[in-house]
Amino acid sequence: MSVTRREMLAFGMLSGGAMLLPLERSVLAAGQNRIAESALPAPFRVPFSVPRVATKVKSVGTTDYYSLTMREQATEILPGFRTRIWGYDGTFPGPTFDVQPGRQLVVRQTNRLPASHPVLGYTPFTSVHLHGSPSLPQFDGYASDVTYPGSWKDYRYSNLYGSRTLWYHDHAVHHTAPNVYMGLVGMFRTHDSLEQSLPIPQGSYDVPLVISDAMFDREGQLLYDDDDRSGLFGDVILVNGRPWPVMKVERRKYRFRILNASISRSYRLRLDSGEPLVVIGTDAGLTAAPQPVTSLPHSNGERYEVVIDFAKYAIGRRVTLRNSSPRNNVDYTHTDKVMAFDVVSEARTTSKNSVPNVLNPNNAIMALTPTATTPTRRLALVRQGGQWTINNLTWGDVEDSDYTRVLANPALNAVEIWEIHNDSGGWHHPLHIHLIDFKILDREFNRNGVRVAPRPHERGAKDVVNVGENERVRLITQFGPHTGTYMLHCHNLVHEDHDMMGQFRVGLGGYDPITTAPARPLPAPEF
């Protein structure tokens, strides 16, 4: 079932009376009812935890079947409080998928969320996006292909993309930010024979870190304040749903898959010891070679795989992961801290405990090179009249066109350069392009005509690019493997919801993302 902005306005779901009062309450609550800092846990006291691994329902041939239920759950995030969250299977983050080579997936997503948001008052329809997957249009989590409470949908994933770190999250039209903020997020890891042949950390030494931020009221419930649609910045940093946790580690190398799942906050990560973070993977998988960096800028929706070598530290040493906040974030007393690592023992095993000089040199996207005939498209990210726009268009314009208006229509397998402009001085925009991976060619600052090479941590295939204040970034990509309609948007989810999201169409035809595989009412049949 689809829902349009016009329908939402008609029912008072966006700016009418049914929505206005709860929104006013939420903004006032953030200023008047925020929990005192003294009631928050001290950093590095709460034990670290790893999300559970998703469990298969059954397997048939090369296809594995899973079932997740989106539901409300009271869970302990702040010690001593029970916080209402919305989670896949009632957990935050949701279960981690570990997908082995050659396996395809069917994931049944059932929406059993309550009839309305506890504060904002809207009906929590959902749409699940597997971020980083070249999914068919009807399984991509198209924003207006929604599943209402009491309904279900099967998402089919072909696993065409090799080893990489993906994540799944809600993508429902105009409510993505609050739905994700409530907890609808999880990690999704795929593996291939190349990765498994390398000596890099694997198994229990391959650790997901889902980083987000939040603010809470005096009762320990989530507060939502997007500061006039500019962004939501919490005073508590969460890792895998735990505030500033501490992890016990052995004296050996660990691989961390770091996801920035914050609604708006970007990070600049570093170790307090000064030792490097060794980047071995970007959004779209392993890089050609490792890239040691002393600090790691990390915008919304990006994933980086980094290796930290704890063999350099004596038993008893505490190492902390810090955040030197980039521009245009709102910072609080402890938002400069992320988590701690306590070195507690010698390594139980030194298998899979090195980083070779060559990792993945044959990524097809990274081999793309511009030529004199490569076409260039330009996209301008601008705020106009309180709305965030792409080339002066919003998702409302897409809806008003009956979903026909597109920002681009590249041919299947066409290679293009996209030049993204952010000529504002006050905002950064992490732009996510669905379906495809891309290679960052260069950046230009302050419209000075001088292009500089990608930063060391960006020298791998990506699907999110952070376009900073007064920056212009050029990307090169090849469009495929599917025809059809896909979204692109700012991954500051407040900007996406209001209304910096558009669409492009690859080739001619393709499945309709709304009507091909619509959600259905419960009960669902058995697999």
Side-chain angles (χ1 to χ4, degrees), residues 223-293:
L223 287 173
Y224 189 89
D225 177 7
D226 65 13
D227 190 22
D228 190 28
R229 301 178 177 179
S230 62
L232 187 153
F233 300 93
D235 55 353
V236 177
I237 304 297
L238 304 173
V239 180
N240 296 347
R242 301 291 184 96
W244 303 288
V246 57
M247 176 184 179
K248 296 179 179 180
V249 296
E250 303 164 23
R251 294 188 67 242
R252 58 155 291 151
K253 292 180 175 68
Y254 284 72
R255 171 186 179 188
F256 295 100
R257 301 182 189 240
I258 309 177
L259 159 66
N260 179 359
S262 289
I263 302 305
S264 304
R265 183 180 296 283
S266 59
Y267 300 84
R268 186 180 297 272
L269 304 175
R270 63 179 178 84
L271 296 176
D272 69 341
S273 65
E275 292 289 338
L277 299 164
V278 180
V279 177
I280 65 168
T282 51
D283 302 334
L286 295 171
T287 54
Q291 296 286 342
V293 297

Side-chain angles (χ1 to χ4, degrees), residues 141-160:
Y142 189 80
S144 296
D145 173 29
V146 297
T147 301
Y148 276 83
S151 301
W152 62 277
K153 174 169 175 154
D154 285 347
Y155 290 82
R156 296 178 178 271
Y157 304 121
S158 60
N159 191 16
L160 295 172

Side-chain angles (χ1 to χ4, degrees), residues 171 390 430-432 434 487-491 493 496 500-501:
H171 216 307
I390 304 176
L431 188 75
H432 174 41
H434 287 221
M487 299 178 295
L488 68 156
H489 58 86
C490 180
H491 224 291
L493 297 182
E496 174 193 319
M500 191 176 270
M501 183 163 66

Side-chain angles (χ1 to χ4, degrees), residues 476-497:
I476 188 169
T477 189
Q478 185 169 25
F479 289 88
H482 308 301
T483 58
T485 304
Y486 292 89
M487 299 178 295
L488 68 156
H489 58 86
C490 180
H491 224 291
N492 179 329
L493 297 182
V494 173
H495 296 184
E496 174 193 319
D497 283 346

Side-chain angles (χ1 to χ4, degrees), residues 30 51 92 129 138 158 211 220 258 268 288 313 331 377 494 524:
F92 168 58
H129 173 48
Q138 67 270 33
S158 60
I211 301 177
I258 309 177
R268 186 180 297 272
Y313 308 107
D331 294 318
R377 298 184 191 269
V494 173

Side-chain angles (χ1 to χ4, degrees), residues 378-382 384 388-394 407 431 488-490 499-503:
R378 291 176 176 85
L379 301 176
L381 311 179
V382 179
Q384 296 182 123
W388 301 96
T389 69
I390 304 176
N391 282 2
N392 301 317
L393 299 175
T394 68
L407 291 161
L431 188 75
L488 68 156
H489 58 86
C490 180
D499 203 16
M500 191 176 270
M501 183 163 66
Q503 63 181 5

